[in-house]
Amino acid sequence: MDNLITLWQSSGVAQMASGQLIMILVGLGLLFLAIRKNFEPLLLVPIGFGGILANIPGADLALSAAEAALVQGDTAIWAQMAQILGLESNSGLPALKEALASAPAAVQVQVAEFARDAGFSNGMLYNFYSVAIASGVAPLVIFMGVGAMTDFGPLLANPRTLFLGAAAQFGIFATVLGAVGLSVAGIMDFSIADAAAIGIIGGADGPTAIYVSSLLAPDLLGAIAVAAYSYMALVPMIQPPIMRALTTEQERKIEMVQLRHVSKREKIAFPLLLLILVALCLPAAAPLLGMFCFGNLMRECGVVSRLSDTAQNALINITTIFLGLSVGSKLAADKFLDPKTLGILALGIVAFAIGTATGVLMAKLINVFSKHKINPLIGSAGVSAVPMAARVSNKVGLESNPHNFLLMHAMGPNVAGVIGSAVAAGVMISMVRSLTGG
């Protein structure tokens, strides 16, 4: 009988907390959206599955060795960990968790070594997170793959669209101000680093959002990533009402002239010039923009087709799997079920809306001073949801004029948005580091 009781107590069902059950249902919901509704399936499938794994009671797949020691250890283990952390030996579990989270890196290493010596180990998802995201590798590799799939031709053929991509990034900075405002009003408790990480959602660029949040607000990474990719999937629903509200029927019917041919020499020179100019002015943007430009150079130079093909296909697909599972590890109940998550989701959709609106308004402003008119609908593609935002611009344009094909024109601001989000990320990282002294 005692053996049966022990077996029951060690089962996941007996250890299940209400928060874990809720998060397992959230994971199943993400899988439903990805599989049934086709919402960003390449990311939401591994994120949703990782979220389920992270919340299986007793498995502790998303915990480090030190965290596992706190969850599974006895009072003797806790007493020794408290001594290393500089606490009283009878300190409670909440005090130990707080001290571990705020401890200097050297102390955390000592605690981790003690936990491993005591027989505890890192969970599978924690190892994935450490290698893929904490190191910064996975978002950068994905940016390289995106660069290898990107054609700068539409942007180079119509350089004015660079302003549309830049204007759409206003959603990022407006959201940062919104997050700070919520904190000042006492509604939420976001630090300046949290606000900067949340604001990047407005760039509609998942890898950039993950990269920035991993540096500035790792505890919010799960909510930020889910918000970023969910809203990217909802672009066809979020953007059209805003686009129609800010444009007239006549503006939506504007037909744009054929794009000029862009030479191979221009396409090779552009990523090199872009990297050098931006990195010299904003070194914090160099990692993201550097990998993006490197991927594009491999595509355009024509002498490393095997490397370009690998970056576009096998490498980015493998990285996406581990990136998604790593993000899923941050969907643990104790990290995700927090009032801040609702604030992040609300600010995220506001960021998307503002970015869409400012892109459209910038196109209308350019038309005031331009002889060759731009269809304002392509301004909405300045958010860097590539190529979905460009397709939405084309679809809304066709509704007003069946002969108006805007897809290639919209790819200009769409690509500019990718550049803009990387630059905005660099600005945020530099700003936070200067303010916090980090």
Side-chain angles (χ1 to χ4, degrees):
M1 188 63 182
D2 290 341
N3 290 335
L4 290 176
I5 293 174
T6 301
L7 180 63
W8 165 252
Q9 291 175 342
S10 64
S11 69
V13 178
Q15 299 179 53
M16 176 75 73
S18 58
Q20 291 172 315
L21 178 60
I22 291 171
M23 289 310 301
I24 288 175
L25 293 176
V26 169
L28 292 172
L30 293 176
L31 290 175
F32 172 81
L33 291 175
I35 297 170
R36 184 67 181 271
K37 302 296 184 180
N38 203 34
F39 282 7
E40 291 292 332
L42 293 179
L43 259 298
L44 290 189
V45 166
I47 288 175
F49 200 85
I52 294 173
L53 289 175
N55 288 281
I56 294 177
D60 298 330
L61 297 177
L63 300 182
S64 66
E67 292 170 329
L70 290 176
V71 173
Q72 302 172 12
D74 53 26
T75 53
I77 295 290
W78 294 353
Q80 293 183 65
M81 292 180 69
Q83 185 177 2
I84 298 173
L85 292 168
L87 301 177
E88 296 291 335
S89 59
N90 59 352
S91 298
L93 189 57
L96 286 172
K97 287 183 177 180
E98 184 178 348
L100 178 62
S102 59
V107 176
Q108 290 188 354
V109 169
Q110 292 180 39
V111 175
E113 289 178 352
F114 166 77
R116 283 192 291 268
D117 292 341
F120 300 97
S121 59
N122 296 333
M124 173 185 73
L125 293 178
Y126 179 85
N127 287 330
F128 288 170
Y129 177 84
S130 298
V131 173
I133 295 180
S135 66
V137 168
L140 297 176
V141 171
I142 287 184
F143 236 63
M144 179 178 68
V146 171
M149 292 186 283
T150 298
D151 180 9
F152 281 129
L155 175 61
L156 294 173
N158 191 358
R160 293 181 300 171
T161 58
L162 186 63
F163 292 104
L164 305 182
Q169 307 313 309
F170 184 76
I172 293 176
F173 299 98
T175 305
V176 172
L177 295 176
V180 172
L182 290 177
S183 298
V184 172
I187 300 173
M188 293 284 175
D189 183 22
F190 293 125
S191 66
I192 187 63
D194 295 341
I198 294 167
I200 294 295
I201 296 174
D205 194 325
T208 303
I210 292 172
Y211 180 76
V212 174
S213 58
S214 69
L215 293 177
L216 302 182
D219 291 342
L220 303 181
L221 190 145
I224 289 172
V226 168
Y229 282 108
S230 297
Y231 293 143
M232 284 171 64
L234 292 173
V235 161
M237 296 174 62
I238 296 172
Q239 287 194 319
I242 299 170
M243 296 159 66
R244 296 189 187 102
L246 295 176
T247 57
T248 65
E249 182 71 15
Q250 202 62 34
E251 287 175 325
R252 293 194 290 273
K253 289 181 178 180
I254 294 176
E255 294 189 23
M256 297 178 64
V257 297
Q258 183 70 29
L259 294 173
R260 71 171 180 85
H261 173 71
V262 178
S263 68
K264 182 176 180 179
R265 183 175 297 175
E266 288 178 277
K267 290 186 176 182
I268 292 175
F270 182 73
L272 296 173
L273 291 173
L274 175 66
L275 172 62
I276 293 170
L277 291 176
V278 174
L280 288 177
C281 297
L282 190 63
L288 283 170
L289 204 60
M291 295 305 289
F292 181 68
C293 291
F294 175 57
N296 187 257
L297 181 64
M298 288 194 294
R299 168 196 173 96
E300 301 297 352
C301 71
V303 295
V304 287
S305 56
R306 287 168 53 191
L307 299 184
S308 177
D309 180 67
T310 300
Q312 293 181 47
N313 296 287
L315 184 58
I316 196 171
N317 289 336
I318 292 169
T319 305
T320 298
I321 292 171
F322 289 102
L323 178 73
L325 290 172
S326 301
V327 171
S329 74
K330 290 298 183 179
L331 298 187
D334 60 335
K335 296 182 175 69
F336 193 86
L337 294 180
D338 187 278
K340 286 185 176 181
T341 300
L342 294 178
I344 290 168
L345 295 174
L347 288 168
I349 196 165
V350 169
F352 259 69
I354 293 175
T356 299
T358 51
V360 173
L361 293 174
M362 176 57 77
K364 297 180 70 162
L365 179 62
I366 291 175
N367 283 345
V368 174
F369 304 98
S370 177
K371 180 180 178 181
H372 299 289
K373 303 299 183 183
I374 292 176
N375 190 311
L377 294 176
I378 71 170
S380 65
V383 296
S384 56
V386 181
M388 190 179 299
R391 290 173 180 165
V392 171
S393 298
N394 185 63
K395 181 181 177 182
V396 177
L398 288 172
E399 291 174 0
S400 298
N401 182 352
H403 305 290
N404 198 7
F405 296 97
L406 298 173
L407 182 61
M408 289 310 297
H409 298 284
M411 284 305 298
N414 213 185
V415 172
V418 178
I419 298 171
S421 66
V423 172
V427 170
M428 292 297 178
I429 294 169
S430 296
M431 179 185 70
V432 171
R433 285 175 177 171
S434 64
L435 291 174
T436 60

